[in-house]
Amino acid sequence: MGGVHGEIVAAMRRILLGTDVPAYLDDGADRLLRDARAAALELELGCRSIIAVGAGSLILPWVGAKQLVSLTLALKAKEVDASPLPHAIELPRTPPEEAVQLLESFAAEPAPSADAITARVSRPCRAKFDEFLPPDLLRLVTAVEHLDIGSIPETAGAVIGKSAPLRRGE
C-alpha cells in the first residue's frame, strides 16, 4: 500500500513542533517551515489532536497511512461522516466533543472486526485480478494488506490523550 509510514509521520511532527531547522532547507522551505510552526503553535498542536473546524472536527492522529485509514473506516462503521486526508481525518458534521466520545469508545473496546471495517471500503479491487476473487477473500486481502485494524484502540487512545478540543477563533 502506498502512503506515509508512521515513522515518517513521527519525524514530520518532531520537525513541526521542534525548533531546529534542517540544514537541507532552502530559503523558501525555511519560510514554509516557520509559517507551519506558527500555525501549529496557534492551534496548540503540541497538546491537541482534535481541532474544531466549522460545525465539525479535524482529527490529527499523527500515524501512518494504514492506521489513519483504519480509524477512518472504524468511524464510518459507526455511521460517522468521516474522510481521510493525507495526515488527518475530517469529520464535517461531528463537533469535537462528539469526536472525543467516539474515540473514547474505540479506545475502551477491542478493535472492530475486519468484516465490520472492510464493509465500508467502496472499491476494494486494487490489483489486476481482484475482480475475480470472492468478496470475503477480497475483504480479507484488503484488511491484511491495506489496513491496521488492531491499531484502532491504541490510535484512538493516543488522540484523546492529547486532545482538549479547540474551537477556531478561541
Side-chain angles (χ1 to χ4, degrees):
M1 172 182 182
V4 180
H5 190 277
E7 293 297 320
I8 301 297
V9 176
M12 292 166 55
R13 184 171 192 264
R14 279 192 304 274
I15 291 169
L16 178 66
L17 299 177
T19 56
D20 293 340
V21 177
Y24 52 80
L25 296 185
D26 64 16
D27 290 342
D30 180 58
R31 255 189 326 279
L32 288 173
L33 179 58
R34 279 187 277 124
D35 290 348
R37 284 178 170 167
L41 187 62
E42 179 184 337
L43 294 170
E44 299 177 346
L45 295 185
C47 62
R48 296 181 193 275
S49 290
I50 300 175
I51 301 169
V53 179
S57 305
L58 191 65
I59 298 173
L60 298 150
W62 298 104
V63 294
K66 284 185 175 186
Q67 295 80 17
L68 186 127
V69 171
S70 297
L71 183 57
T72 304
L73 291 173
L75 288 160
K76 287 179 170 286
K78 291 203 180 223
E79 303 298 326
V80 175
D81 182 7
S83 301
L85 301 173
H87 302 289
I89 302 170
E90 180 183 25
L91 307 176
R93 296 186 239 324
T94 304
E97 298 76 19
E98 288 180 33
V100 168
Q101 290 172 352
L102 286 162
L103 294 170
E104 285 173 342
S105 72
F106 287 131
E109 301 167 0
S113 72
D115 283 339
I117 298 301
T118 58
R120 297 298 179 172
V121 177
S122 60
R123 293 183 51 215
C125 296
R126 298 173 69 107
K128 184 174 182 179
F129 297 107
D130 280 358
E131 65 185 272
F132 301 109
L133 294 176
D136 58 334
L137 183 56
L138 191 54
R139 285 191 301 274
L140 177 62
V141 167
T142 299
V144 170
E145 292 183 357
H146 305 290
L147 301 173
D148 184 357
I149 295 170
S151 71
I152 292 169
E154 181 182 350
T155 301
V159 170
I160 59 175
K162 55 180 178 262
S163 289
L166 172 68
R167 289 251 172 237
R168 289 292 303 213
E170 280 189 349

